[in-house]
Amino acid sequence: MASHRKSRTPGPRVAGIRTPALATAALTSVALLSQTADASPGEDRPSLEEVEKKVGDLYRQAESATEKYNAAKEKTTKQRKRVDTLLDDVAKRTQKLNEARSELGSYAAAQYRTGAGMPDTATFLLAETPQDIFDQRQVLDRMTGRQKAAVDDYVTQQTETMKKRQEATESLRTLTETQGDLKTAKATVQKKLADARELLSKLTAEEKARLAAIEKRKQEEAARKAAELARQQAEQEQAREEAAQQGGGTSEGSGSTGSTETPPADSSYGTKAEKALAFARAQIGKPYVWGATGPGSYDCSGLTQAAWKAAGVSLPRTTYDQVNAGTTVPVSQARPGDLVFFYDDVTHVGIYIGNGMMIHAPKPGTYVREESIYYDGDSAIHSIVRPA
């Protein structure tokens, strides 16, 4: 069966935001499996490899929807704060407008008591917009200095109040839209996870055991690749040390198979990375919960954000933004603390700890753990980003 991911030429990837596309093929596959799971023993059933692929696809689609949910939640929170601020401002300006209107009213009443004709200031109380007021230029000419000052204050308060009311209306409209995006993303996550659970529930005990064996073989291969990366990195470090002893410099790119533009070693980065890793290690064993940012549970980007926050570095909330929050480096030159991003739609992230290993929050039903960065194969790795 064909791979679920496009093949890629070897070498470092350039980090960037791609628009995640939730494939519909997996839903069709679920329907197909639902039909075949209850079939008689003589009928064809999907292979375990096909089941594993379909479940993996659904989990990745759920993770993609989770990052959309995280983005929509963050946007909704910011928009709600903006709306609250604007509404408070409108209330304050409305009060000032009423005070200015009251002052104009006192002038109008005084003119009326003295037997004047149409009170000059009353004309402005009948005006609905600032333009209506400016159209009464002949009235302005007959006013005293204090009356004109009162009119100026009234016009200013009315103009600003109308402006803020319009801003508040537009912000409320935007808030409604982001709340809709949030609801849609949440429903998508829940649907994908439900489909994956249903698919797994149709397996027999024997099939589940065989599926676990397949997963074990994948983990063993991932561990082998991690050990190979660790060996390569150790050789590079030794070459750098030898070059330094011989006065040949300490180029970070020495002996690498990737870019030679990797930032030079920075002692401050190492200090921050140690703090980030210490935090991440303390979270091992806590459950993955989509949309969670701690302290009791995390999703993948929630964990990396919290870890680097503990080191005094502010990362964006989502994988789509975190991937651009630093400098891209080759896999061969990954250092502890670097962020490891996965998949072409950049929907998963872990924090590198060295020797080809990382700490990450994998997926629903699992816990924060240490794992090879090759846990889903070489082609799953999107990029390595140094955040500070």
Side-chain angles (χ1 to χ4, degrees):
M1 185 170 180
S3 172
H4 64 285
R5 257 184 245 101
K6 294 182 180 179
S7 61
R8 249 196 333 236
T9 56
R13 292 293 304 272
V14 177
I17 297 178
R18 297 178 178 83
T19 303
L22 297 180
T24 57
L27 295 179
T28 303
S29 300
V30 171
L32 175 63
L33 287 177
S34 297
Q35 296 171 4
T36 58
D38 297 325
S40 63
E43 296 183 17
D44 291 338
R45 287 169 57 89
S47 68
L48 285 179
E49 288 76 8
E50 290 175 319
V51 171
E52 181 193 35
K53 176 187 178 300
K54 290 179 175 68
V55 170
D57 286 344
L58 286 167
Y59 276 132
R60 280 187 286 279
Q61 291 168 27
E63 198 158 31
S64 176
T66 294
E67 291 305 314
K68 287 185 175 181
Y69 171 87
N70 292 338
K73 183 178 180 180
E74 186 176 43
K75 186 176 180 181
T76 298
T77 299
K78 291 180 179 179
Q79 193 63 29
R80 184 176 290 112
K81 289 181 180 178
R82 174 170 171 75
V83 167
D84 290 342
T85 298
L86 285 171
L87 290 177
D88 287 343
D89 198 4
V90 167
K92 292 176 182 177
R93 292 187 180 279
T94 299
Q95 181 178 356
K96 290 182 179 179
L97 178 62
N98 290 335
E99 291 172 355
R101 181 181 288 113
S102 177
E103 185 174 1
L104 282 181
S106 66
Y107 283 124
Q111 287 176 319
Y112 184 78
R113 287 195 299 270
T114 59
M118 176 64 178
D120 293 340
T121 49
T123 302
F124 294 94
L125 295 177
L126 299 175
E128 296 182 356
T129 68
Q131 186 61 47
D132 293 337
I133 295 175
F134 287 117
D135 288 341
Q136 304 295 329
R137 300 185 186 279
Q138 73 280 6
V139 179
L140 283 170
D141 293 339
R142 299 196 300 269
M143 286 188 170
T144 66
R146 292 182 63 185
Q147 286 176 314
K148 288 181 179 179
V151 168
D152 287 342
D153 183 45
Y154 178 73
V155 171
T156 298
Q157 297 303 331
Q158 188 180 46
T159 301
E160 290 300 317
T161 301
M162 292 177 65
K163 179 181 178 181
K164 291 299 179 182
R165 283 175 178 170
Q166 181 62 30
E167 289 181 14
T169 299
E170 293 175 357
S171 291
L172 282 169
R173 186 182 302 112
T174 301
L175 177 60
T176 300
E177 293 173 356
T178 57
Q179 288 175 328
D181 293 340
L182 186 66
K183 183 178 180 180
T184 299
K186 181 177 181 180
T188 301
V189 175
Q190 293 172 332
K191 179 66 166 61
K192 299 300 180 184
L193 295 180
D195 289 343
R197 286 193 295 268
E198 180 181 0
L199 193 55
L200 290 172
S201 70
K202 295 181 182 299
L203 296 178
T204 65
E206 180 184 356
E207 288 172 329
K208 289 179 180 178
R210 288 167 55 199
L211 195 60
I214 292 174
E215 180 62 25
K216 183 179 179 180
R217 288 196 296 271
K218 285 181 60 178
Q219 292 176 354
E220 290 172 348
E221 176 62 14
R224 184 191 67 77
K225 291 180 177 179
E228 175 62 20
L229 177 60
R231 183 188 65 77
Q232 292 175 1
Q233 291 179 331
E235 290 177 353
Q236 291 176 20
E237 182 61 29
Q238 182 179 357
R240 283 193 290 270
E241 290 177 357
E242 291 176 354
Q245 292 173 359
Q246 298 172 6
T250 58
S251 171
E252 185 76 9
S254 175
S256 78
T257 57
S259 170
T260 59
E261 298 180 356
T262 304
D266 182 350
S267 59
S268 67
Y269 178 80
T271 301
K272 294 174 183 176
E274 288 179 3
K275 293 180 180 179
L277 290 175
F279 179 92
R281 287 191 177 95
Q283 312 314 307
I284 291 176
K286 293 184 179 180
Y288 174 103
V289 174
W290 64 272
T293 57
S297 58
Y298 298 88
D299 63 17
C300 66
S301 57
L303 175 64
T304 52
Q305 183 189 48
W308 271 102
K309 182 179 180 180
V313 177
S314 178
L315 290 181
R317 175 63 181 94
T318 68
T319 55
Y320 312 133
D321 292 328
Q322 288 183 10
V323 76
N324 290 321
T327 304
T328 303
V329 301
V331 173
S332 63
Q333 294 178 19
R335 295 174 55 190
D338 291 351
L339 301 179
V340 189
F341 293 91
F342 296 87
Y343 311 120
D344 288 342
D345 54 0
V346 199
T347 53
H348 188 66
V349 62
I351 183 167
Y352 191 66
I353 62 176
N355 297 323
M357 302 292 288
M358 66 178 174
I359 296 175
H360 70 148
K363 61 185 179 181
T366 62
Y367 299 84
V368 176
R369 66 192 183 201
E370 291 186 11
E371 194 161 28
S372 168
I373 65 172
Y374 298 104
Y375 81 106
D376 204 18
D378 300 61
S379 62
I381 298 176
H382 175 276
S383 57
I384 309 291
V385 173
R386 190 155 298 159

